[in-house]
Amino acid sequence: MKGLKRTVLLMVFGFFVIGISSCSLLSNDDGKSYFQSVNNDLESLNQRVQIINNDIVLDSLKSKFSSTSSTLGGDKFTHIANVESPEVNGKKLSATSIEIRANKVYISYHLNGSEYAGAVDIIDINDEENPKIISSLISEDTDINALEIEENAKILWITGGRDVGSSGYSLQGHGGAILGEKEIEKGVFKTGSGSYREIPLPSFSGNDIVDFAQDLYVVSGATGGGFYQLNKGNLSITKRVDNNFAKSIDRRQDDVIGLNLLADKRANFTIMDFKSDAITTFQTPFAVTPVDGKNVLEHTAAITYVALGNRGVKGYKFSTSADTPVYEFNAHGADVANGVTVDGKYVYIANGTDGLFITTLPRDGKTEPEEVYSWKSNSTNTASANFVKTNGQYIILANGVDGLNILKISGS
């Protein structure tokens, strides 16, 4: 296939402009209400957890081994539990994003449709056979589309959006997107005044966020959005790259890489190098649909993997010598690729109503995986997998309004 179009902008970040840094911060003790509540009651929270603890059977799409198997590459996969999505005012939320830190899983949720509401769960997986929700943050007026956890797990950052008419911010360059910071104390969300602060972002909805040294990098979209560097000390925007339909962002060695869709629906990658003060962009030669789909990228071991909807998942190295994919997989199933995550052995793909696909990593110069397996929980036949995350020991699969599947990987 034709390679990516490559553009390099050596502009000493003149391409960036400072913006929205003068907006005042709001916190729980300045008279503003965020319609938030914290639930740390284990009994009520864990009514949403269903313990399974059964080995799972992986259906083979392509394998040199058997057509079905409970193992792959010498590893056994176990379905540990399902977690039901929380409700706000009687309306079921949809799981949107996942992070794993040590023995905790953090999951964000939003409300589908034109109304706004969101939540974040903290799940303790220290007891491998009995995961428990230990804390939940509920927002009655704000969608939470993505989250990030500080390395020491004492701060949660969220991004999403609310009705701009009730946002409380100036409408200049702001359509409802926000970034918030919530304190965590002894593993659970802190209650009381002063434990939360936030700022408005450009555009309508915050879509992704990543922690990198002294800064946060946040994505918002669609129209009027882009990629933003924020100072963690005061949450002010210090640098920005404006790109419509900005989708996702991740760390990449000493720089960050962001994904957005161009006007002609082609995927555009922006590499922001803060050492050489250069911006490099790559555009695919093909269109990606749906435009409003969830397109997640994750950078692992020198490869950037990206879920490109109807185009499946591709992995790129983004170098001058190799600007074509080094990994490609498209299930050509009933749905499209929404999310991707990678460990040292496998690529995991959230493929909507098709469920989870597990493939081998690229090897021997081949772009297509040698083995491909699929799995879908029988208890969530209507589920649509939109996000997946792994730490090499657990796989956490987000299924929208059908909540989560928690899977465990162990040597056979």
Side-chain angles (χ1 to χ4, degrees), residues 150-175:
E150 180 201 35
E151 183 178 355
N152 296 321
K154 293 183 178 181
I155 297 175
L156 166 83
W157 292 287
I158 58 172
T159 190
R162 67 168 67 97
D163 186 330
V164 68
S166 60
S167 71
Y169 299 111
S170 167
L171 301 187
Q172 184 177 0
H174 170 64

Side-chain angles (χ1 to χ4, degrees), residues 85 94-100 105-110 119-123 144-149 156-160 206-210 247-249 294 296-298 338-339 385-389 396-400 403-404:
S85 292
S94 177
T96 56
S97 182
I98 302 161
E99 289 293 339
I100 306 172
V105 179
Y106 305 81
I107 307 101
S108 63
Y109 303 85
H110 71 197
V120 178
D121 284 335
I122 302 177
I123 300 178
I144 302 176
N145 300 327
L147 55 78
E148 175 69 302
I149 303 296
L156 166 83
W157 292 287
I158 58 172
T159 190
N207 295 327
D208 201 5
I209 181 171
V210 64
K247 298 280 191 171
S248 189
I249 198 166
K294 195 172 183 68
V296 174
L297 66 77
E298 178 173 292
N338 297 313
N386 59 26
F387 200 94
V388 62
K389 199 72 174 179
I396 315 298
L397 183 67
N399 294 301
L404 308 172

Side-chain angles (χ1 to χ4, degrees), residues 33-92:
S33 173
Y34 295 100
F35 302 100
Q36 285 185 355
S37 61
V38 170
N39 184 358
N40 292 332
D41 179 69
L42 296 181
E43 183 177 355
S44 65
L45 289 172
N46 285 283
Q47 292 177 8
R48 295 194 280 118
V49 178
Q50 177 190 16
I51 303 299
I52 306 293
N53 282 323
N54 288 331
D55 291 347
I56 66 173
V57 174
L58 301 172
D59 294 321
S60 175
L61 280 72
K62 174 183 176 183
S63 175
K64 58 187 178 182
F65 299 114
S66 61
S67 59
T68 60
S69 177
S70 61
T71 64
L72 171 61
D75 293 309
K76 183 174 74 172
F77 294 79
T78 305
H79 185 185
I80 299 296
N82 294 331
V83 179
E84 184 181 352
S85 292
E87 294 184 0
V88 174
N89 297 325
K91 297 177 180 178
K92 185 80 72 174

Side-chain angles (χ1 to χ4, degrees), residues 29 77 88 107 110 114 141 183 221 225 248 281 284-285 288 338 353 394:
D29 56 0
F77 294 79
V88 174
I107 307 101
H110 71 197
S114 59
D141 70 341
E183 292 183 43
S248 189
T281 64
T284 64
V288 174
N338 297 313
T353 55
Y394 289 92

